[in-house]
Short mmCIF file of all heavy atoms in Angstrom, two decimals:
data_model
loop_
_atom_site.label_atom_id
_atom_site.label_comp_id
_atom_site.label_asym_id
_atom_site.label_seq_id
_atom_site.Cartn_x
_atom_site.Cartn_y
_atom_site.Cartn_z
N ILE A 172 318.70 36.97 40.90
CA ILE A 172 319.74 36.14 40.29
C ILE A 172 320.36 35.29 41.41
O ILE A 172 320.99 35.83 42.32
CB ILE A 172 320.83 36.98 39.59
CG1 ILE A 172 320.21 38.07 38.70
CG2 ILE A 172 321.73 36.08 38.76
CD1 ILE A 172 321.24 39.00 38.07
N GLY A 173 320.18 33.97 41.31
CA GLY A 173 320.71 33.07 42.33
C GLY A 173 319.60 32.29 43.00
O GLY A 173 318.57 32.87 43.36
N GLY A 174 319.80 30.98 43.15
CA GLY A 174 318.75 30.12 43.70
C GLY A 174 319.18 29.40 44.96
O GLY A 174 318.76 28.28 45.23
N GLY A 175 320.02 30.05 45.78
CA GLY A 175 320.40 29.50 47.08
C GLY A 175 319.52 30.11 48.18
O GLY A 175 318.46 30.69 47.88
N PRO A 176 319.93 29.98 49.43
CA PRO A 176 319.12 30.50 50.54
C PRO A 176 318.74 31.98 50.40
O PRO A 176 317.59 32.35 50.67
CB PRO A 176 320.02 30.29 51.76
CG PRO A 176 320.82 29.07 51.40
CD PRO A 176 321.09 29.21 49.93
N ALA A 177 319.67 32.82 49.94
CA ALA A 177 319.36 34.25 49.82
C ALA A 177 318.34 34.48 48.71
O ALA A 177 317.32 35.17 48.90
CB ALA A 177 320.63 35.04 49.56
N GLY A 178 318.60 33.90 47.52
CA GLY A 178 317.72 34.11 46.38
C GLY A 178 316.32 33.54 46.62
O GLY A 178 315.31 34.17 46.28
N LEU A 179 316.26 32.35 47.22
CA LEU A 179 314.94 31.74 47.44
C LEU A 179 314.14 32.49 48.50
O LEU A 179 312.91 32.60 48.40
CB LEU A 179 315.11 30.26 47.83
CG LEU A 179 315.69 29.37 46.73
CD1 LEU A 179 315.79 27.92 47.22
CD2 LEU A 179 314.86 29.43 45.46
N ILE A 195 316.39 33.70 38.28
CA ILE A 195 317.38 33.07 37.40
C ILE A 195 318.31 32.33 38.35
O ILE A 195 319.17 32.91 38.99
CB ILE A 195 318.07 34.12 36.52
CG1 ILE A 195 317.00 34.80 35.63
CG2 ILE A 195 319.17 33.47 35.67
CD1 ILE A 195 317.51 35.84 34.68
N ALA A 196 318.04 31.03 38.50
CA ALA A 196 318.54 30.28 39.66
C ALA A 196 319.90 29.63 39.46
O ALA A 196 320.44 29.03 40.38
CB ALA A 196 317.53 29.21 40.05
N GLY A 197 320.46 29.73 38.25
CA GLY A 197 321.77 29.13 38.03
C GLY A 197 321.64 27.72 37.52
O GLY A 197 320.61 27.06 37.68
N THR A 198 322.72 27.23 36.90
CA THR A 198 322.68 25.88 36.36
C THR A 198 322.85 24.83 37.46
O THR A 198 322.59 23.65 37.25
CB THR A 198 323.78 25.69 35.29
OG1 THR A 198 324.98 26.28 35.79
CG2 THR A 198 323.40 26.35 33.98
N ILE A 199 323.31 25.28 38.65
CA ILE A 199 323.35 24.37 39.82
C ILE A 199 322.46 25.00 40.87
O ILE A 199 322.94 25.60 41.84
CB ILE A 199 324.77 24.17 40.35
CG1 ILE A 199 325.72 23.82 39.20
CG2 ILE A 199 324.82 23.09 41.42
CD1 ILE A 199 327.19 23.87 39.57
N PRO A 200 321.13 24.90 40.69
CA PRO A 200 320.25 25.59 41.63
C PRO A 200 320.32 24.98 43.03
O PRO A 200 320.66 23.81 43.18
CB PRO A 200 318.86 25.42 41.02
CG PRO A 200 318.96 24.33 40.04
CD PRO A 200 320.40 24.20 39.64
N GLY A 201 320.00 25.79 44.02
CA GLY A 201 320.01 25.29 45.41
C GLY A 201 321.19 25.83 46.19
O GLY A 201 321.15 25.92 47.40
N GLY A 202 322.27 26.13 45.51
CA GLY A 202 323.41 26.76 46.17
C GLY A 202 324.28 25.81 46.96
O GLY A 202 324.24 24.59 46.76
N GLN A 203 325.06 26.36 47.86
CA GLN A 203 326.10 25.60 48.55
C GLN A 203 325.56 24.46 49.41
O GLN A 203 326.24 23.46 49.62
CB GLN A 203 326.93 26.53 49.43
CG GLN A 203 327.72 27.55 48.66
CD GLN A 203 328.30 28.60 49.59
OE1 GLN A 203 329.08 28.30 50.47
NE2 GLN A 203 327.90 29.85 49.38
N LEU A 204 324.33 24.58 49.91
CA LEU A 204 323.81 23.52 50.78
C LEU A 204 323.53 22.23 50.01
O LEU A 204 323.34 21.18 50.61
CB LEU A 204 322.56 23.97 51.53
CG LEU A 204 322.81 24.96 52.68
CD1 LEU A 204 321.50 25.26 53.41
CD2 LEU A 204 323.85 24.46 53.66
N MET A 205 323.54 22.31 48.67
CA MET A 205 323.40 21.10 47.87
C MET A 205 324.65 20.21 48.04
O MET A 205 324.62 19.04 47.70
CB MET A 205 323.25 21.44 46.38
CG MET A 205 322.04 22.28 46.06
SD MET A 205 320.50 21.50 46.51
CE MET A 205 320.30 20.36 45.15
N LEU A 206 325.72 20.80 48.54
CA LEU A 206 326.99 20.07 48.66
C LEU A 206 327.15 19.39 50.02
O LEU A 206 328.17 18.78 50.29
CB LEU A 206 328.18 21.02 48.47
CG LEU A 206 328.23 21.82 47.17
CD1 LEU A 206 329.40 22.78 47.19
CD2 LEU A 206 328.35 20.85 45.99
N THR A 207 326.17 19.56 50.89
CA THR A 207 326.35 19.03 52.23
C THR A 207 325.30 17.97 52.54
O THR A 207 324.32 17.83 51.82
CB THR A 207 326.32 20.17 53.28
OG1 THR A 207 326.85 19.69 54.50
CG2 THR A 207 324.93 20.73 53.49
N SER A 208 325.56 17.21 53.59
CA SER A 208 324.56 16.21 53.97
C SER A 208 323.63 16.82 55.02
O SER A 208 322.65 17.47 54.68
CB SER A 208 325.24 14.93 54.46
OG SER A 208 326.20 15.23 55.45
N HIS A 209 323.97 16.66 56.30
CA HIS A 209 323.03 17.09 57.34
C HIS A 209 323.25 18.55 57.73
O HIS A 209 324.36 18.94 58.06
CB HIS A 209 323.17 16.20 58.57
CG HIS A 209 322.66 14.82 58.31
ND1 HIS A 209 323.49 13.76 58.06
CD2 HIS A 209 321.40 14.35 58.23
CE1 HIS A 209 322.75 12.68 57.83
NE2 HIS A 209 321.49 13.01 57.94
N VAL A 210 322.18 19.32 57.69
CA VAL A 210 322.22 20.69 58.20
C VAL A 210 321.59 20.64 59.60
O VAL A 210 320.45 20.22 59.75
CB VAL A 210 321.44 21.65 57.28
CG1 VAL A 210 321.46 23.07 57.83
CG2 VAL A 210 322.02 21.60 55.87
N GLU A 211 322.36 21.04 60.59
CA GLU A 211 321.90 20.89 61.98
C GLU A 211 321.63 22.22 62.65
O GLU A 211 321.16 22.24 63.79
CB GLU A 211 322.96 20.12 62.78
CG GLU A 211 323.17 18.71 62.24
CD GLU A 211 324.26 17.95 62.97
OE1 GLU A 211 325.12 18.59 63.59
OE2 GLU A 211 324.22 16.71 62.91
N ASN A 212 321.97 23.33 61.96
CA ASN A 212 321.85 24.61 62.65
C ASN A 212 320.85 25.55 62.00
O ASN A 212 320.84 26.73 62.30
CB ASN A 212 323.23 25.28 62.75
CG ASN A 212 323.88 25.46 61.38
OD1 ASN A 212 323.26 25.20 60.36
ND2 ASN A 212 325.12 25.88 61.37
N PHE A 213 320.03 25.01 61.09
CA PHE A 213 319.04 25.91 60.48
C PHE A 213 317.81 25.93 61.38
O PHE A 213 317.23 24.87 61.67
CB PHE A 213 318.67 25.48 59.06
CG PHE A 213 318.01 26.60 58.33
CD1 PHE A 213 318.78 27.64 57.83
CD2 PHE A 213 316.64 26.67 58.21
CE1 PHE A 213 318.19 28.73 57.20
CE2 PHE A 213 316.04 27.75 57.58
CZ PHE A 213 316.82 28.78 57.08
N MET A 226 316.77 22.57 50.47
CA MET A 226 316.71 23.49 49.34
C MET A 226 315.51 23.20 48.43
O MET A 226 314.90 24.10 47.88
CB MET A 226 318.02 23.45 48.54
CG MET A 226 319.25 23.90 49.31
SD MET A 226 319.00 25.29 50.42
CE MET A 226 318.50 26.58 49.31
N LEU A 241 314.06 30.00 36.27
CA LEU A 241 314.82 29.68 35.07
C LEU A 241 316.17 29.16 35.55
O LEU A 241 316.94 29.90 36.17
CB LEU A 241 315.00 30.96 34.23
CG LEU A 241 315.82 30.83 32.95
CD1 LEU A 241 315.07 30.00 31.92
CD2 LEU A 241 316.11 32.22 32.38
N GLU A 243 319.19 28.73 34.68
CA GLU A 243 320.32 29.11 33.80
C GLU A 243 321.20 30.09 34.59
O GLU A 243 320.75 30.69 35.56
CB GLU A 243 319.81 29.83 32.55
CG GLU A 243 318.94 28.99 31.64
CD GLU A 243 319.72 27.94 30.87
OE1 GLU A 243 320.98 27.96 30.91
OE2 GLU A 243 319.09 27.09 30.22
N ASP A 244 322.42 30.23 34.12
CA ASP A 244 323.30 31.25 34.71
C ASP A 244 323.06 32.59 34.03
O ASP A 244 322.92 32.63 32.79
CB ASP A 244 324.78 30.87 34.52
CG ASP A 244 325.23 29.83 35.52
OD1 ASP A 244 324.63 29.75 36.61
OD2 ASP A 244 326.17 29.08 35.21
N ALA A 245 323.02 33.64 34.81
CA ALA A 245 323.03 34.98 34.22
C ALA A 245 324.47 35.23 33.76
O ALA A 245 325.41 35.00 34.51
CB ALA A 245 322.62 36.02 35.25
N THR A 246 324.61 35.68 32.52
CA THR A 246 325.96 35.89 32.00
C THR A 246 326.34 37.36 31.98
O THR A 246 327.52 37.70 31.87
CB THR A 246 326.08 35.32 30.57
OG1 THR A 246 324.98 35.81 29.81
CG2 THR A 246 326.07 33.80 30.59
N ALA A 272 321.95 37.48 44.18
CA ALA A 272 322.14 36.55 45.31
C ALA A 272 322.92 35.33 44.80
O ALA A 272 322.51 34.19 44.99
CB ALA A 272 320.78 36.14 45.87
N THR A 273 324.03 35.61 44.13
CA THR A 273 324.76 34.53 43.45
C THR A 273 325.79 33.82 44.34
O THR A 273 326.51 32.95 43.86
CB THR A 273 325.46 35.07 42.18
OG1 THR A 273 326.11 36.30 42.49
CG2 THR A 273 324.46 35.32 41.07
N GLY A 274 325.86 34.20 45.61
CA GLY A 274 326.66 33.43 46.55
C GLY A 274 328.16 33.47 46.30
O GLY A 274 328.69 34.35 45.61
N ALA A 275 328.80 32.49 46.84
CA ALA A 275 330.25 32.37 46.73
C ALA A 275 330.59 30.89 46.59
O ALA A 275 329.79 30.04 46.93
CB ALA A 275 330.92 32.95 47.96
N SER A 276 331.77 30.62 46.10
CA SER A 276 332.20 29.22 45.96
C SER A 276 333.46 29.01 46.78
O SER A 276 334.39 29.82 46.70
CB SER A 276 332.50 28.91 44.49
OG SER A 276 331.39 29.25 43.69
N ALA A 277 333.45 27.93 47.55
CA ALA A 277 334.65 27.60 48.32
C ALA A 277 335.77 27.23 47.36
O ALA A 277 335.52 26.60 46.33
CB ALA A 277 334.36 26.43 49.26
N TRP A 279 338.87 24.99 46.38
CA TRP A 279 339.29 23.63 46.70
C TRP A 279 340.76 23.45 46.34
O TRP A 279 341.32 24.22 45.56
CB TRP A 279 338.42 22.61 45.93
CG TRP A 279 336.99 22.68 46.35
CD1 TRP A 279 335.98 23.35 45.70
CD2 TRP A 279 336.39 22.10 47.50
NE1 TRP A 279 334.80 23.20 46.38
CE2 TRP A 279 335.02 22.45 47.49
CE3 TRP A 279 336.88 21.32 48.55
CZ2 TRP A 279 334.13 22.04 48.47
CZ3 TRP A 279 335.99 20.91 49.53
CH2 TRP A 279 334.64 21.26 49.49
N MET A 289 333.85 14.73 50.02
CA MET A 289 333.17 15.96 50.42
C MET A 289 331.97 15.62 51.31
O MET A 289 331.14 14.79 50.94
CB MET A 289 332.71 16.72 49.18
CG MET A 289 332.41 18.17 49.47
SD MET A 289 331.46 18.91 48.16
CE MET A 289 332.66 19.01 46.89
N GLY A 290 331.93 16.21 52.48
CA GLY A 290 330.84 15.91 53.43
C GLY A 290 331.07 14.62 54.20
O GLY A 290 330.31 14.27 55.10
N VAL A 293 335.76 15.63 54.41
CA VAL A 293 336.32 16.85 53.78
C VAL A 293 335.27 17.94 53.88
O VAL A 293 334.13 17.75 53.43
CB VAL A 293 336.71 16.60 52.30
CG1 VAL A 293 337.11 17.91 51.63
CG2 VAL A 293 337.86 15.61 52.21
N HIS A 294 335.65 19.06 54.50
CA HIS A 294 334.69 20.13 54.74
C HIS A 294 335.33 21.49 54.45
O HIS A 294 336.56 21.61 54.41
CB HIS A 294 334.21 20.10 56.20
CG HIS A 294 333.65 18.78 56.62
ND1 HIS A 294 332.37 18.39 56.30
CD2 HIS A 294 334.21 17.75 57.31
CE1 HIS A 294 332.16 17.16 56.79
NE2 HIS A 294 333.26 16.76 57.41
N THR A 295 334.44 22.49 54.32
CA THR A 295 334.95 23.84 54.14
C THR A 295 334.39 24.79 55.19
O THR A 295 334.68 25.98 55.13
CB THR A 295 334.56 24.40 52.75
OG1 THR A 295 333.14 24.31 52.62
CG2 THR A 295 335.23 23.65 51.63
N CYS A 296 333.59 24.29 56.12
CA CYS A 296 332.92 25.20 57.07
C CYS A 296 332.91 24.58 58.46
O CYS A 296 332.13 23.66 58.73
CB CYS A 296 331.50 25.47 56.57
SG CYS A 296 330.50 26.45 57.70
N GLN A 298 332.05 26.03 61.26
CA GLN A 298 330.82 26.41 61.97
C GLN A 298 329.69 25.43 61.63
O GLN A 298 328.86 25.11 62.47
CB GLN A 298 330.42 27.82 61.52
CG GLN A 298 329.40 28.50 62.38
CD GLN A 298 330.03 29.06 63.63
OE1 GLN A 298 331.05 29.70 63.57
NE2 GLN A 298 329.43 28.80 64.77
N CYS A 299 329.70 24.95 60.38
CA CYS A 299 328.62 24.07 59.91
C CYS A 299 328.87 22.62 60.31
O CYS A 299 327.97 21.92 60.75
CB CYS A 299 328.50 24.12 58.39
SG CYS A 299 328.56 25.77 57.69
N ASP A 300 330.10 22.14 60.11
CA ASP A 300 330.36 20.70 60.20
C ASP A 300 331.30 20.30 61.33
O ASP A 300 331.53 19.11 61.55
CB ASP A 300 330.95 20.21 58.86
CG ASP A 300 329.98 20.46 57.70
OD1 ASP A 300 328.78 20.22 57.89
OD2 ASP A 300 330.42 20.92 56.65
N TYR A 401 337.22 31.76 49.89
CA TYR A 401 336.02 31.69 49.06
C TYR A 401 336.14 32.69 47.93
O TYR A 401 336.80 33.72 48.08
CB TYR A 401 334.77 32.05 49.89
CG TYR A 401 334.35 30.96 50.83
CD1 TYR A 401 335.01 30.78 52.05
CD2 TYR A 401 333.31 30.12 50.52
CE1 TYR A 401 334.62 29.78 52.92
CE2 TYR A 401 332.92 29.11 51.37
CZ TYR A 401 333.57 28.95 52.58
OH TYR A 401 333.20 27.95 53.42
N ASN A 404 330.72 34.93 43.55
CA ASN A 404 330.32 34.75 42.15
C ASN A 404 329.87 36.09 41.56
O ASN A 404 328.68 36.34 41.36
CB ASN A 404 329.20 33.70 42.06
CG ASN A 404 329.68 32.35 42.60
OD1 ASN A 404 330.81 31.94 42.35
ND2 ASN A 404 328.84 31.68 43.35
N PHE A 407 330.43 38.15 36.46
CA PHE A 407 329.57 38.69 35.39
C PHE A 407 329.06 40.10 35.70
O PHE A 407 328.38 40.71 34.88
CB PHE A 407 328.40 37.74 35.12
CG PHE A 407 327.38 37.71 36.23
CD1 PHE A 407 326.12 38.27 36.06
CD2 PHE A 407 327.67 37.13 37.45
CE1 PHE A 407 325.18 38.25 37.08
CE2 PHE A 407 326.73 37.10 38.48
CZ PHE A 407 325.50 37.66 38.29
N ALA A 436 322.22 40.26 48.29
CA ALA A 436 321.95 39.52 49.52
C ALA A 436 322.78 38.25 49.58
O ALA A 436 323.04 37.62 48.56
CB ALA A 436 320.46 39.16 49.58
N GLY A 437 323.15 37.88 50.79
CA GLY A 437 323.80 36.59 51.01
C GLY A 437 325.31 36.63 50.84
O GLY A 437 325.95 37.69 50.91
N ASP A 438 325.87 35.46 50.58
CA ASP A 438 327.34 35.32 50.56
C ASP A 438 328.01 36.15 49.47
O ASP A 438 329.21 36.39 49.53
CB ASP A 438 327.72 33.84 50.37
CG ASP A 438 327.50 33.01 51.63
OD1 ASP A 438 326.80 33.50 52.54
OD2 ASP A 438 328.03 31.89 51.70
N VAL A 439 327.25 36.58 48.47
CA VAL A 439 327.86 37.38 47.40
C VAL A 439 328.31 38.75 47.92
O VAL A 439 329.19 39.39 47.35
CB VAL A 439 326.89 37.52 46.21
CG1 VAL A 439 325.72 38.47 46.53
CG2 VAL A 439 327.61 37.98 44.97
N TYR A 444 329.91 36.27 57.68
CA TYR A 444 329.11 35.27 58.42
C TYR A 444 328.97 33.97 57.63
O TYR A 444 329.08 32.88 58.19
CB TYR A 444 327.73 35.83 58.76
CG TYR A 444 327.82 36.98 59.74
CD1 TYR A 444 327.61 38.29 59.33
CD2 TYR A 444 328.13 36.75 61.07
CE1 TYR A 444 327.71 39.34 60.22
CE2 TYR A 444 328.24 37.80 61.97
CZ TYR A 444 328.03 39.09 61.54
OH TYR A 444 328.14 40.13 62.42
N ARG A 445 328.63 34.07 56.34
CA ARG A 445 328.57 32.90 55.45
C ARG A 445 327.77 31.73 56.02
O ARG A 445 328.25 30.61 56.11
CB ARG A 445 329.99 32.43 55.11
CG ARG A 445 330.73 33.38 54.23
CD ARG A 445 331.92 32.71 53.60
NE ARG A 445 332.87 32.24 54.55
CZ ARG A 445 334.09 32.76 54.73
NH1 ARG A 445 334.49 33.74 53.96
NH2 ARG A 445 334.88 32.26 55.62
N GLN A 446 326.54 32.01 56.42
CA GLN A 446 325.65 30.97 56.93
C GLN A 446 324.33 31.03 56.17
O GLN A 446 323.93 32.09 55.67
CB GLN A 446 325.40 31.18 58.43
CG GLN A 446 326.63 30.95 59.29
CD GLN A 446 327.07 29.49 59.24
OE1 GLN A 446 326.39 28.60 59.75
NE2 GLN A 446 328.20 29.24 58.61
N ALA A 447 323.64 29.89 56.14
CA ALA A 447 322.36 29.86 55.43
C ALA A 447 321.38 30.83 56.06
O ALA A 447 320.62 31.51 55.37
CB ALA A 447 321.80 28.44 55.43
N VAL A 448 321.39 30.89 57.38
CA VAL A 448 320.40 31.74 58.05
C VAL A 448 320.69 33.23 57.82
O VAL A 448 319.76 34.03 57.68
CB VAL A 448 320.29 31.37 59.55
CG1 VAL A 448 321.52 31.78 60.33
CG2 VAL A 448 319.04 31.95 60.18
N THR A 449 321.96 33.60 57.73
CA THR A 449 322.26 35.02 57.47
C THR A 449 321.98 35.35 56.00
O THR A 449 321.52 36.45 55.69
CB THR A 449 323.72 35.36 57.84
OG1 THR A 449 324.60 34.40 57.24
CG2 THR A 449 323.92 35.37 59.34
N ALA A 450 322.23 34.38 55.12
CA ALA A 450 321.91 34.60 53.70
C ALA A 450 320.40 34.76 53.53
O ALA A 450 319.92 35.62 52.78
CB ALA A 450 322.43 33.44 52.86
N ALA A 451 319.64 33.91 54.25
CA ALA A 451 318.17 34.01 54.17
C ALA A 451 317.71 35.37 54.68
O ALA A 451 316.84 36.01 54.07
CB ALA A 451 317.55 32.88 54.99
C1 FAD B 108 329.76 22.07 52.23
C2 FAD B 108 329.04 23.23 52.87
C3 FAD B 108 328.27 23.00 54.00
C4 FAD B 108 327.60 24.05 54.61
N1 FAD B 108 326.85 23.79 55.72
C5 FAD B 108 326.14 24.80 56.29
C6 FAD B 108 325.33 24.53 57.43
O1 FAD B 108 325.27 23.41 57.93
N2 FAD B 108 324.65 25.58 57.96
C7 FAD B 108 324.73 26.86 57.44
O2 FAD B 108 324.05 27.75 57.95
N3 FAD B 108 325.49 27.12 56.38
C8 FAD B 108 326.21 26.13 55.79
N4 FAD B 108 327.01 26.39 54.72
C9 FAD B 108 327.08 27.77 54.22
C10 FAD B 108 325.80 28.09 53.42
O3 FAD B 108 325.59 27.06 52.49
C11 FAD B 108 325.95 29.44 52.71
O4 FAD B 108 326.23 30.44 53.64
C12 FAD B 108 324.65 29.78 51.99
O5 FAD B 108 324.30 28.75 51.08
C13 FAD B 108 324.76 31.10 51.24
O6 FAD B 108 323.57 31.30 50.54
P1 FAD B 108 323.52 32.23 49.24
O7 FAD B 108 322.14 32.12 48.73
O8 FAD B 108 324.05 33.56 49.57
O9 FAD B 108 324.56 31.61 48.22
P2 FAD B 108 324.72 30.12 47.57
O10 FAD B 108 324.21 29.07 48.47
O11 FAD B 108 326.14 30.11 47.15
O12 FAD B 108 323.75 30.18 46.32
C14 FAD B 108 324.04 30.96 45.21
C15 FAD B 108 323.26 30.46 44.02
O13 FAD B 108 323.48 31.34 42.93
C16 FAD B 108 323.75 30.58 41.77
N5 FAD B 108 324.56 31.37 40.85
C17 FAD B 108 325.88 31.64 40.90
N6 FAD B 108 326.23 32.39 39.86
C18 FAD B 108 325.10 32.59 39.14
C19 FAD B 108 324.81 33.28 37.94
N7 FAD B 108 325.76 33.91 37.23
N8 FAD B 108 323.53 33.28 37.48
C20 FAD B 108 322.55 32.63 38.17
N9 FAD B 108 322.77 31.96 39.32
C21 FAD B 108 324.03 31.95 39.78
C22 FAD B 108 324.46 29.34 42.28
O14 FAD B 108 324.37 28.29 41.33
C23 FAD B 108 323.66 29.07 43.54
O15 FAD B 108 322.52 28.33 43.23
C24 FAD B 108 327.69 25.36 54.08
C25 FAD B 108 328.47 25.60 52.94
C26 FAD B 108 329.13 24.55 52.33
C27 FAD B 108 329.95 24.80 51.10
#
Side-chain angles (χ1 to χ4, degrees):
I172 313 176
L179 294 181
I195 298 181
T198 44
I199 311 168
Q203 294 169 61
L204 287 184
M205 299 300 281
L206 304 176
T207 196
S208 52
H209 291 101
V210 179
E211 297 177 338
N212 56 7
F213 198 77
M226 296 322 299
L241 178 68
E243 296 287 352
D244 281 335
T246 49
T273 46
S276 306
W279 296 98
M289 198 196 289
V293 172
H294 305 281
T295 55
C296 175
Q298 195 79 47
C299 315
D300 300 317
Y401 286 79
N404 299 320
F407 71 109
D438 285 16
V439 72
Y444 294 106
R445 290 197 299 248
Q446 292 294 291
V448 70
T449 50

